[in-house]
Every structure is written in C-alpha cells, then in structure tokens.
Amino acid sequence: MFSDVLVRFPGENDAAPDLTILAQGAERLGNGYSCNEVLAVAAVPSRPDDDKDYVRNVAKYARFGIELYLIADPFKQLCTLMTEPHAMGYAKVQEIPYGEPLTLTLSTGERIEIDTSDFPVR
C-alpha cells in the first residue's frame, strides 16, 4: 500500500490517489506505476460532493479496470465501495456508514479489514 503514489493512465492525466494498493512485484515506471499494476484505490474528498472523486475518477478508474475504488467521505461520514468495473463506471456500489466495519476483498483473494470508527469527520 502506498500513499500519494503517481499512477499513469495511457492517454489521460496521471493521478495520485490518497491510497493505492499495488500488485505484488509492481515495477516503477519512471516516477510512477502503470494503472495495470493497481489492485485498489481509495480517496478522501477535500470538499463536499467533490466532482473529481465522485464523477471523473469513478469513470476513469472503472474504464482502466481498477477493480476496487473506495471513497471515504468525511463530510457524509460514509464510505462508498465500488467494485465490478465496466466501461461507464462500477456495477456494484455499497455504502458503509462510518463506525461500521469495512472489508476490502482484492482480486488476489486477500482481505483487508478496516475499522471506520476512527475515521476523521468534517
């Protein structure tokens, strides 16, 4: 897992998600990693209803096949977990209120348990 790592998207702007989970053995491409090496991405919006996190990145990450996208929103006190990417977005969207447990299941079969009760709120 890396924080603020540069992820390269061919033909589009690169991104530096708040948290990036890379495939084991992922190799650096210059100062970043290929989006093909990304297993999951997490974002924490800096503004309420942030268009970048809730619209543009949803479309981009899904289009490039990032299998898991999590938005931990301190304004709504809600985690939005998106899986099953397709050309227009994610087929499965699950909302988990802060305070409830959250499990990320990676395509590798690994599971990451997250305690959301201590997530910061605004």
Side-chain angles (χ1 to χ4, degrees), residues 42-45 54 69-74 76-82 93-104 114-117 119-120:
V44 179
Y54 281 101
Y69 179 35
L70 174 68
I71 301 172
D73 191 321
K76 296 178 182 177
Q77 300 178 31
L78 184 72
C79 293
T80 304
L81 177 60
M82 292 169 260
V93 178
Q94 180 182 7
E95 292 185 333
I96 302 98
Y98 279 22
E100 292 187 15
L102 170 64
T103 302
L104 306 180
I114 300 171
D115 178 5
T116 65
S117 63
F119 280 17

Side-chain angles (χ1 to χ4, degrees), residues 55-114:
V55 179
R56 291 178 289 164
N57 284 345
V58 169
K60 179 178 9 187
Y61 295 160
R63 189 170 52 256
F64 281 93
I66 294 176
E67 294 190 25
L68 191 150
Y69 179 35
L70 174 68
I71 301 172
D73 191 321
F75 302 97
K76 296 178 182 177
Q77 300 178 31
L78 184 72
C79 293
T80 304
L81 177 60
M82 292 169 260
T83 57
E84 300 177 22
H86 57 80
M88 301 301 292
Y90 287 87
K92 188 173 179 185
V93 178
Q94 180 182 7
E95 292 185 333
I96 302 98
Y98 279 22
E100 292 187 15
L102 170 64
T103 302
L104 306 180
T105 304
L106 304 177
S107 60
T108 61
E110 296 169 280
R111 295 170 56 96
I112 301 169
E113 304 288 331
I114 300 171

Side-chain angles (χ1 to χ4, degrees), residues 7-45:
V7 178
R8 301 200 171 278
F9 292 89
E12 293 201 26
N13 292 335
D14 297 335
D18 293 313
L19 178 71
T20 304
I21 300 175
L22 298 169
Q24 186 169 0
E27 293 188 28
R28 228 179 226 288
L29 300 173
N31 63 344
Y33 292 88
S34 166
C35 61
N36 297 325
E37 302 279 7
V38 176
L39 299 176
V41 169
V44 179

